[in-house]
Amino acid sequence: IEEVRSRGALGNVYVIGNSNGAALAHRLASNAGIDLPVKGIVTKVTQLLASPERSGPGVLNYNQPSAGGLKISVLNIMGTADGLIPYEGGSSAVFGGDDNFQLMSSLDSMETWALHDGCDSNPEVTDGYTTDMGDFTATKYKYNNCDAGTIVEHYAIHGGGHNAGGVTIDNVKVDYEMTYDFIRRCEAGGEAPTPPTPTVPSPPVSPPVESPVAE
């Protein structure tokens, strides 16, 4: 971040990750602050850890967001039939048999972010989305009235596996259309950005017509 800032990049910071990359995105967002000025994350097929509280001695190694941390927008995509990162949480083969590491359920993870961001605890639930994975349906969970214009949204891809991060929902790819839409909404303070007013071209100006001169 310091390097790109030094090169003149002054915009907000977003972290996008799939699987282990999503775990890193959750970790960075949980420790966001002056040193990690993260505004939003897109996390695909991984949720927050329930335990341990931290994964190392450093000050940026906490696994859940703290009360004093930055408000973070979160878009999360999970497959309900993921055999590697269970939708309902618990242990995973990626932990190599270490039972100290336990995942939250997907909805507990989203509720944790919603509470951190001051959102309503009960999400608005919308069924009927179509997908190209699993049983070809999805449910959206949207947590409303969040602080500071943050966005907290989750898509459950029914029957989706660990490849659900590449899903298309209602003919919109998560990579990259839905991701860019999420970032645009974050930049607009949680609202859908107003499209620019189309420019209407002025009608062409006809050249002046000279009056005929009588001979």
Side-chain angles (χ1 to χ4, degrees):
I1 294 173
E2 289 180 356
E3 174 64 22
V4 296
R5 290 282 194 237
S6 71
R7 293 171 180 246
L10 302 178
N12 291 311
V13 176
Y14 295 88
V15 184
I16 303 167
N18 185 82
S19 190
N20 196 43
L24 177 60
H26 279 299
R27 174 90 66 84
L28 292 173
S30 294
N31 293 276
I34 295 175
D35 294 326
L36 287 172
V38 177
K39 185 175 179 67
I41 58 174
V42 179
T43 54
K44 296 170 287 186
V45 296
T46 297
Q47 62 272 63
L48 284 167
L49 283 169
S51 64
E53 179 184 7
R54 58 195 302 174
S55 293
V59 296
L60 301 179
N61 272 317
Y62 287 92
N63 289 318
Q64 301 92 28
S66 62
L70 297 180
K71 305 297 184 183
I72 305 291
S73 289
V74 180
L75 173 62
N76 175 254
I77 314 292
M78 296 289 295
T80 63
D82 191 329
L84 183 63
I85 302 296
Y87 187 85
E88 296 301 331
S91 187
S92 169
V94 300
F95 302 136
D98 188 343
D99 290 335
N100 290 311
F101 288 87
Q102 297 289 317
L103 293 159
M104 294 184 187
S105 74
S106 298
L107 292 181
D108 283 349
S109 177
M110 295 310 299
E111 184 176 348
T112 297
W113 280 118
L115 292 174
H116 176 76
D117 288 337
C119 314
D120 295 343
S121 58
N122 293 318
E124 175 186 340
V125 181
T126 307
D127 294 310
Y129 287 90
T130 61
T131 77
D132 59 350
M133 292 186 179
D135 69 7
F136 309 115
T137 65
T139 298
K140 179 181 180 181
Y141 297 79
K142 179 182 179 184
Y143 296 81
N144 295 311
N145 301 313
C146 304
D147 293 344
T150 49
I151 300 168
V152 179
E153 295 176 352
H154 165 70
Y155 286 89
I157 311 304
H158 298 297
H162 198 61
N163 62 343
V167 72
T168 296
I169 303 174
D170 279 1
N171 296 314
V172 178
K173 290 282 292 181
V174 171
D175 300 326
Y176 295 91
E177 296 170 75
M178 186 176 290
T179 295
Y180 287 151
D181 175 72
F182 169 73
I183 292 172
R184 283 191 289 266
R185 288 186 289 131
C186 291
E187 293 294 298
E191 302 294 332
T194 302
T197 303
T199 302
V200 178
S202 301
V205 178
S206 301
V209 177
E210 296 182 3
S211 299
V213 179
E215 295 182 356

